[in-house]
Amino acid sequence: GERYQLAFGHTRKAAYNLLNSLGTSDEYKFMPLYIMDLTDEKMAIAAFEENEKRRELNPVDRALAVQKMLIDFGWTQEAVAEKLHIDRSGVSNMLRMLRLPEDVLQTVAEGILPVRSALALLPIFELGNDDRYKLFEKFGDPYYEFISLAKKGEINSDTIRARVEEY
């Protein structure tokens, strides 16, 4: 009647389930487990690490998971970096990336726009709507085309940085 939550070993569990479904042996009917008490914090860390191993997190999902840990557990960026074995600057960049508009984040999540290019666009999207409109008025269609191509991942980050600096 007790319930347990799998913290890690999802791939191993899937392999046991597959082998058991083949019905070739009772050897794979039960998977050996190590049951341990985990705090919510340790469970979050274990889940993050498991997803990293399975490469199931896209950059936006990773950033949202880090942001959730900051909020839920009151951790600092330094604490997150230490607990997840990520560079402190990496944590900062993940959180900066989340300030981008949803449509840009979607292209990052889909693997169309690299994180580096998305971060290069950030200064433009941190401007207010009025200031972005002024850029459009000053530079016209080439500005709009640049933003469109950059959001589609058709311009590399160095070109984006140079154009953003120009604007």
Side-chain angles (χ1 to χ4, degrees):
E2 292 184 65
R3 295 190 57 171
Y4 297 92
Q5 186 174 357
L6 191 62
F8 41 84
H10 293 79
T11 304
R12 185 169 50 121
K13 182 180 182 310
Y16 264 84
N17 289 343
L18 176 63
L19 290 168
N20 186 41
S21 72
L22 297 174
T24 57
S25 169
D26 285 341
E27 180 182 356
Y28 300 107
K29 196 168 224 160
F30 300 102
M31 183 174 89
L33 299 175
Y34 179 70
I35 298 174
M36 53 206 281
D37 234 353
L38 296 177
T39 64
D40 288 344
E41 290 180 5
K42 289 187 179 180
M43 186 66 178
I45 292 168
F48 185 88
E49 289 172 350
E50 178 73 7
N51 286 328
E52 283 287 287
K53 286 179 191 168
R54 291 186 293 172
R55 302 195 191 291
E56 289 190 1
L57 294 178
N58 65 56
V60 176
D61 288 340
R62 288 181 86 224
L64 290 170
V66 165
Q67 182 182 56
K68 183 170 174 29
M69 289 178 205
L70 285 167
I71 294 167
D72 289 355
F73 307 128
W75 292 346
T76 62
Q77 289 185 23
E78 292 82 10
V80 170
E82 182 181 317
K83 292 173 189 285
L84 299 180
H85 311 289
I86 301 172
D87 286 337
R88 163 68 178 77
S89 61
V91 172
S92 178
N93 283 335
M94 283 184 219
L95 298 173
R96 284 180 58 237
M97 180 183 64
L98 292 177
R99 296 195 311 243
L100 287 162
E102 189 60 39
D103 64 329
V104 177
L105 289 175
Q106 184 64 36
T107 61
V108 172
E110 292 170 359
I112 297 167
L113 181 65
V115 171
R116 183 174 161 93
S117 296
L119 288 173
L121 282 171
L122 190 58
I124 285 181
F125 290 109
E126 286 182 326
L127 295 172
N129 286 337
D130 289 343
D131 289 333
R132 278 200 308 272
Y133 185 73
K134 286 176 189 173
L135 282 177
F136 176 71
E137 283 182 330
K138 182 176 180 178
F139 294 101
D141 287 335
Y143 167 77
Y144 180 78
E145 184 180 333
F146 159 73
I147 295 296
S148 179
L149 290 173
K151 286 167 55 172
K152 293 177 188 174
E154 295 179 12
I155 303 173
N156 70 36
S157 63
D158 292 334
T159 302
I160 292 171
R161 285 182 208 296
R163 288 290 292 274
V164 166
E165 195 171 304
E166 178 184 325
Y167 292 140

